[in-house]
Amino acid sequence: MAKKRPQTKAKQPQLKDGEIPVVGAREPCPCGSGRRYKACHGRAAAHAVTELVQRPFEGLPGEGDWVALRELVPAATVELKLKESLPEGVPSVTLATVLPMAWPALRRDDGSVLLGLQNDTASGDISRDLADTLQRALTAQPGTPVPGRRAPAEGPRLQELLDPEGAFEPVVHAGFEFWVPDAEHSTPEVTASLERANAAAIPTVKLSGVDSAYWCETPDKNHLRWVMPYPEEQLLDALARLHAAGRSSLGEGTRLVGSFRAHGLTVPVWDLPTGVTADDVEKPAAEFAERLATALASDAPLTVDERRARGGLTNRQVTLS
């Protein structure tokens, strides 16, 4: 029998960490170690994309409105301004709460881009995921949706792509007709998705007199949900002071009932009688903002009644993210 020739392994090129591409988790690591990617250089990448960023919208104009549109508002759009000029053929970029078929983004036939905010994301940093989707949408073929994917750990965040001086001005819609410029010629799938979305949308109005406050109407009662930028402990102390003093309501029949936690911010919630509209709470909300500013400035220890009120508010917190 002929002797088998000794097998020699070809030398793998030794790459620097910054040069190692992302490959499948079970594939050999490109660094040449002989181990699978997930057990070698993929470890750091996996940690980077799963580590939770508590305040993903911090540093963006309108952080409170980003949180509200992500978690609370059914149908809204915002024109986004990028730091760099838009690529040729892209007339505009618009953030939308939800897109048809839950697409992460959509490049319309006219070249404009719609970026969806209320989508499941693959990493612990929503800002990085959205930035990755936005970059891919800018170069997508017109008339095509952009699928989701795991964003590269070293990819940019929204804070690096969006103009920090650009205004963030949400426009709240009664339904999702903004999805399709020409509803008569939309596909049956998009039409069905539009009908389902409109049927589920809760009537919502953004208050004009204070920041990041949204009135909504439900069958049993109405609510005001107000995203506030203050540190949670300081805000809860201030709310407790007002609650204990009987000054936390927004008028007759209204009641501060608790709060949400969402993306690092606190969202106090008021129950409102069914007949109370968004216009009805504009003035009371502005007056409450003044009372809250005074309470936030106090550093006096909480009284027994205030501590009891704080405990009640804390027990009625719900974490959304």
Side-chain angles (χ1 to χ4, degrees):
M1 293 179 64
K3 291 183 179 179
K4 290 183 179 178
R5 293 184 180 178
Q7 298 294 315
T8 57
K9 290 185 179 178
K11 260 194 170 180
Q12 294 285 344
Q14 296 301 307
L15 303 177
K16 297 179 181 178
D17 284 354
E19 301 173 341
I20 295 170
V22 175
V23 298
R26 300 176 67 84
E27 294 181 43
C29 186
C31 75
S33 67
R35 290 182 291 172
R36 289 178 177 175
Y37 179 70
K38 69 176 183 179
C40 192
H41 281 85
R43 282 182 174 176
H47 178 72
V49 299
T50 56
E51 187 174 5
L52 180 63
V53 175
Q54 296 290 342
R55 287 180 64 176
F57 307 117
E58 185 175 14
L60 291 172
E63 180 187 6
D65 288 312
W66 278 93
V67 172
L69 267 57
R70 167 76 182 186
E71 299 293 341
L72 306 173
V73 180
T77 55
V78 186
E79 294 296 316
L80 296 181
K81 184 178 180 182
L82 275 60
K83 286 183 180 179
E84 306 294 336
S85 300
L86 291 174
E88 185 177 353
V90 181
S92 63
V93 174
T94 302
L95 179 74
T97 47
V98 182
L99 294 181
M101 321 296 285
W103 290 326
L106 172 66
R107 181 93 185 271
R108 280 178 159 165
D109 290 334
D110 66 357
S112 61
V113 167
L114 286 178
L115 177 66
L117 182 57
Q118 294 180 14
N119 289 303
D120 292 335
T121 53
S123 81
D125 186 354
I126 298 169
S127 178
R128 195 179 307 282
D129 289 328
L130 289 170
D132 177 68
T133 302
L134 173 57
Q135 286 188 312
R136 290 185 291 125
L138 293 172
T139 58
Q141 288 295 319
T144 61
V146 177
R149 73 168 189 182
R150 187 181 73 176
E154 70 280 1
R157 307 178 74 236
L158 286 174
Q159 287 81 346
E160 299 167 59
L161 300 184
L162 301 184
D163 183 355
E165 304 300 323
F168 192 82
E169 300 175 347
V171 177
V172 178
H173 303 276
F176 295 88
E177 281 71 22
F178 63 86
W179 281 355
V180 282
D182 186 4
E184 292 182 2
H185 296 89
S186 55
T187 65
E189 292 83 2
V190 171
T191 299
S193 184
L194 178 61
E195 291 175 353
R196 288 194 300 270
N198 282 343
I202 296 173
T204 301
V205 177
K206 185 181 189 299
L207 298 195
S208 59
V210 295
D211 293 334
S212 309
Y214 291 81
W215 170 96
C216 69
E217 179 183 17
T218 62
D220 297 328
K221 62 185 70 174
N222 299 341
H223 305 280
L224 183 72
R225 300 178 290 191
W226 191 342
V227 187
M228 295 188 171
Y230 313 108
E232 181 180 17
E233 297 303 313
Q234 181 187 11
L235 176 58
L236 288 174
D237 280 353
L239 292 173
R241 295 181 197 279
L242 295 175
H243 203 58
R247 306 184 69 205
S248 64
S249 76
L250 299 175
E252 185 178 354
T254 70
R255 186 167 66 100
L256 174 64
V257 292
S259 62
F260 297 128
R261 284 195 195 99
H263 306 292
L265 298 184
T266 303
V267 188
V269 178
W270 284 262
D271 277 354
L272 313 173
T274 301
V276 173
T277 67
D279 287 340
D280 293 334
V281 294
E282 286 280 8
K283 183 179 178 182
E287 294 170 346
F288 178 84
E290 294 180 2
R291 298 197 298 273
L292 180 63
T294 300
L296 286 165
S298 175
D299 58 1
L302 295 181
T303 66
V304 172
D305 287 343
E306 290 168 347
R307 288 200 301 273
R308 187 179 299 113
R310 193 187 194 283
L313 292 172
T314 302
N315 290 337
R316 294 192 296 274
Q317 278 190 315
V318 176
T319 300
L320 300 181
S321 61

